[in-house]
Amino acid sequence: MNYEPTQIFFIVLSGIVLMLLMSGFIIVMVLLHRQQQLRNRQKMDNLRAEYEKTMLKVEKEIQDQTLSFIGQELHDNLGQILSLAKLTLNSPDEENYSEGKRLINHAIKEVRSLSKRLNLDWVKEVSLLDFISGELQKIENFGFCKTQFETDVEPIELDLDKKLVLIRIIQECLNNIMKHAEPSVIYISLAQKKDSLSITVKDDGKGFDVDDKSKGMGLHNLKSRIETIGGKLILSSIIGIGTEIKLLLPFE
């Protein structure tokens, strides 16, 4: 088949135009892909920065609470032990001397225990189950209200960061209950499935309107914190009935 020069020109021109269109399409796709990569990288950087910010804030809050606890222990517990030891040792009675030595040894143990809490070593050593039991026991010791703790969970190993966040969230939930709920019972339960850990904090107090914006900031902070470690918070509350907060943390 013989082509006229004009036909050959149009065929070549069409080929060039098609090649330019293909090249332009490829360039556009490459640019879009790079933009998506940049957006993804920026998103990951933002998530990492938010995670680090949350962890620093959580560590500071736990340290502040620990210092407050230590101050109270020094005043109420250790101070009394040392005062009693002083009074005992001032007596010439040999039995009192032995009792004084026992009290001093007890005071030394208390100081060592408190020194560990000045950093976050206690968080590494304590299990989540023991922490929850201890917090509820303190509430009962204060005479605030009754508590219940139920779990079918075997002792679990959690990353320190995840444990820190969970500890702080549970502390915040309990603090909010004691400040606002006026309950007769605080109930905490742990359940473990194949792929997740469920922690439920519930009370039979006053309850509140979950749509009340004045109470939204504290809830938002709790949700943000659990989300930084890949978890989820579910809240339900009925005025006059009580409040339930469920924390869901997936296992890797």
Side-chain angles (χ1 to χ4, degrees):
M1 181 181 294
N2 295 325
Y3 291 97
E4 296 292 330
T6 304
Q7 291 177 316
I8 294 174
F9 172 75
F10 278 114
I11 291 173
V12 173
L13 181 61
S14 299
I16 293 172
V17 170
L18 182 60
M19 186 180 299
L20 290 174
L21 288 173
M22 290 293 292
S23 299
F25 176 76
I26 292 172
I27 291 171
V28 169
M29 291 301 295
V30 169
L31 291 175
L32 289 174
H33 180 66
R34 287 184 177 177
Q35 288 179 349
Q36 184 63 39
Q37 283 185 319
L38 289 173
R39 283 195 293 269
N40 289 340
R41 188 175 300 141
Q42 183 65 42
K43 184 178 180 180
M44 291 301 297
D45 289 342
N46 290 340
L47 288 174
R48 190 177 296 109
E50 183 64 25
Y51 175 80
E52 292 173 355
K53 178 181 176 182
T54 297
M55 293 312 306
L56 287 173
K57 188 173 182 180
V58 165
E59 288 181 8
K60 183 179 183 303
E61 288 174 347
I62 290 181
Q63 286 172 338
D64 288 345
Q65 191 170 48
T66 298
L67 288 173
S68 176
F69 169 79
I70 288 174
Q72 186 175 356
E73 284 292 296
L74 287 173
H75 181 270
D76 297 341
N77 183 27
L78 191 59
Q80 290 183 2
I81 293 173
L82 292 174
S83 296
L84 185 58
K86 179 181 177 181
L87 290 173
T88 303
L89 291 173
N90 282 336
S91 172
D93 193 332
E94 186 174 342
E95 290 185 3
N96 286 341
Y97 178 74
S98 298
E99 177 64 13
K101 285 180 63 178
R102 188 192 68 79
L103 288 169
I104 290 176
N105 287 331
H106 181 47
I108 291 172
K109 290 180 180 178
E110 289 293 318
V111 170
R112 286 174 178 169
S113 175
L114 291 175
S115 68
K116 288 184 178 180
R117 296 186 68 100
L118 285 172
N119 50 38
L120 296 177
D121 285 348
W122 68 272
V123 178
K124 297 177 185 177
E125 296 174 2
V126 71
S127 71
L128 187 62
L129 303 183
D130 289 341
F131 166 77
I132 293 173
S133 296
E135 291 297 294
L136 294 180
Q137 188 60 54
K138 282 193 285 186
I139 290 173
E140 289 217 10
N141 291 343
F142 291 152
F144 182 79
C145 70
K146 295 293 184 181
T147 65
Q148 294 181 15
F149 180 38
E150 294 183 4
T151 178
D152 60 1
V153 176
E154 298 289 334
I156 53 176
E157 291 294 330
L158 289 171
D159 292 342
L160 178 60
D161 290 349
K162 290 183 179 180
K163 193 194 294 187
L164 276 170
V165 172
L166 286 177
I167 282 175
R168 188 61 191 131
I169 290 175
I170 292 169
Q171 284 179 331
E172 191 65 24
C173 289
L174 294 176
N175 287 339
N176 287 339
I177 291 173
M178 290 188 287
K179 286 180 182 177
H180 307 295
E182 299 180 8
S184 59
V185 178
I186 297 175
Y187 169 83
I188 296 183
S189 66
L190 268 72
Q192 184 177 346
K193 298 181 180 179
K194 290 183 179 180
D195 58 350
S196 65
L197 174 69
S198 173
I199 304 173
T200 301
V201 183
K202 185 166 61 174
D203 68 76
D204 62 349
K206 297 191 298 184
F208 64 95
D209 181 1
V210 294
D211 295 323
D212 186 349
K213 293 182 179 179
S214 66
K215 297 180 175 61
M217 183 57 69
L219 179 61
H220 175 73
N221 289 338
L222 294 180
K223 283 185 174 180
S224 296
R225 290 184 176 185
I226 193 70
E227 287 171 0
T228 60
I229 57 173
K232 183 179 180 182
L233 184 148
I234 302 172
L235 168 73
S236 61
S237 185
I238 301 175
I239 295 176
I241 301 296
T243 300
E244 177 180 295
I245 292 178
K246 182 167 288 188
L247 308 172
L248 301 174
L249 183 66
F251 287 136
E252 296 180 357

